[in-house]
Amino acid sequence: MFEPVLLKSVDIRSGHLLSTYEAGGGYQALAKALRDYTPDEVIELVKQSNLRGRGGAGFPTGMKWSFVPKQSGKPTYLCCNADEGEPGTFKDRIIMERDPHQLIEGLAISAYAIGAETAYVYIRGEYVTAIRRLEQAIAEASAAGYLGARILGSAFNFTIHIHCGAGAYICGEETAMLESLEGKRAQPRLKPPFPAVAGLYASPTVINNVETLICVPHIVVRGAEWFRGIGPDKSPGPKLYCLSGQVRKPGLYELPMGIQLRELVEEHAGGPLPGRKVKAVIPGGVSAPVIPERGLDVGMDFDSLAAAGTMLGSAGVIVIDDTTCMVKVATRIVEFFHHESCGKCTPCREGLNWAVKVLRRIEAGEGTPGDLEQLEKLCKGIFGNTFCALGDGAAMGLRAALAHFRDEFVAHIEERKCPYH
Ligand code: L3W
C-alpha cells in the first residue's frame, strides 16, 4: 500500500502552522542534514535518489546541483519556481497554502547543499493565499531559528525572499524568471550558459520547482533507497498528479511515479461522467501532446511518456470526453500560447498568430482545403526555432491534435460547421 508523504498534512486544518509541522516531525530533516552531512554528501544523497525535476523537463536534480561551481567568487542563489501557470496544474499551490513549512525545509536543505545563503521564491501573483501563508510560515520559521543566521547552531546562514509574478506564463520559463527577478521584461535567455553557472545577476543559480524541493527532506530522513524504491528506477519517487476536466473526481493525487494513466483516470479519478466515454487525455499540462483513449496504457513517468510521443510535464492531467470538439480544444490551447508568447522569437510570435487565425476559421466552419497542411507547415516552422519551450509546446500539441483527430478537423472543413453543435 502506497503511503503519501508529500500530501500527508494538506487536509489538516492547521497544516500551515509551524506547531503542526513540528508535531509531524517537521524540520528534523534539516537538523539531520546540518548535523550528519556535508553539503557534498547531501548532493550525493540526492543523486543516489534519482530525483528528477518536477517542473516539466525532468532533469536530474543532484546533477543540476553539482554543476554549481565551487569557487566562483560570486554568491550562489537558489530560486524556487512557484509560478505555476501551466493550465491544468495546481499541485504547488496546494503545498504552499496547506503545508508551506515543507517547502521552507526543502529550500533550506537544498540551499545548504549548493552553498546558497539566499533563496527567492517566485510565486504566481494570483496565488494570494499561498503568498500570505508562505510569508507567515517564513516569519514563524525565522523566529524559531530554522531560518536566519547560524541555523540550529551550525555555521549555515539562510534567508528566503518572496517575489510575486504579475500574470505572465512566460515567467515560469527559468531564464525569463531570472530576467523578471532582476526587474527586467521577462524574456527567455539563450542557453548555455545554464543558470547553474550564470543565472541571477550572472551568479551561479539553481532553479527548482516546489514539488522537487519538497522531496528533499523526505530523502534526507528516509534515505535514497526508499525514494528509488517507489516507481521506475530511472524516474522514481512519490508524484503529485493534478486531475481535471471531464472526470467524476477531479483533484490532487499523490501516487507512485509511473502509475498507469488508465488506472489514474478510471480508478483514482473515478472515470468519465455518467453516460460519457473518455476520448483523449492531456497528460502533463497543455504543453504535453494529447493522447487518444487507446494510448492510455502508458506509465506516468518521464521516459514512458516520452516514448509514447508526449511528456509528463507538470503532471496536469486533463481528461477530455466524447462530448468535446477536439478542434475547439486545439484552438483554445494555441490561443493560450499565442496570448502568452513573449514575442521575442519571430517563429513563435508570428507562427502562433497565424495558426490561431487558421484554427478559428476552421472552428467557425469557414476552413479551406489547404488549411491542415498550412497548420502543419506552421508547426514545422515554430518547432526547434525558438529560445524557449513555449513555441515547442504549442507546436507539439497542435501536431498531436492534427495527427490523432484529423477526421474532426476534416469534418469541420467539409461540413462547414462544427459536428458537435
Ligand atoms: C546545467 C546543463 N543545467 C539542462 C537544466 C536547465 C533546466 C533543466 C531542464 O524546461 C520544460 C517544458 C516546459 N548544465 C543543463 C542544465 N540544464 N542542461 O535542466 O532543462 P531543459 O532545457 O531540458 O528544459 P526547460 O526549458 O527548462 C522545459 C516546462 O519545462 N517549463 C517549466 C515550467 C515550470 C514551472 C514551475 O515549476 N512552476 O512553471 C517551462 O518552459 O513546459 O516541459 O533547469 O537549466 N548542461
Side-chain angles (χ1 to χ4, degrees), residues 44-56:
E44 190 50 37
L45 184 71
V46 172
K47 274 188 181 169
Q48 292 297 324
S49 75
N50 284 354
L51 169 64
R52 290 171 66 177
R54 305 314 203 212

Side-chain angles (χ1 to χ4, degrees), residues 54-60 63-64 67 80-86 91-92 122 169-175 191-197 205 207-211 284 287-288 311-314 387-390 393 396:
R54 305 314 203 212
F59 195 82
M63 192 193 292
K64 189 189 274 189
F67 289 146
C80 171
N81 190 343
D83 191 47
E84 191 168 53
E86 187 70 28
K91 61 192 177 70
D92 301 340
Y122 194 104
Y169 172 76
I170 195 62
C171 293
E173 197 283 332
E174 60 176 13
T175 59
K191 295 190 279 190
F194 288 94
V197 176
T205 304
I207 303 158
N208 287 136
N209 165 264
V210 172
E211 187 187 346
S287 299
M311 56 189 204
L312 180 63
S314 57
F387 271 41
C388 83
L390 188 145
M396 286 188 304

Side-chain angles (χ1 to χ4, degrees), residues 240-257:
L240 301 181
Y241 299 101
C242 316
L243 266 295
S244 68
Q246 292 153 318
V247 277
R248 288 182 203 230
K249 292 191 288 178
L252 184 61
Y253 294 85
E254 180 182 352
L255 290 160
M257 182 75 92

Side-chain angles (χ1 to χ4, degrees), residues 3 10-11 37 81 159 171 192 203 225 240 283-284 316 342 387:
E3 176 207 347
V10 297
D11 290 328
Y37 294 106
N81 190 343
T159 311
C171 293
S203 291
E225 271 184 36
L240 301 181
C342 77
F387 271 41

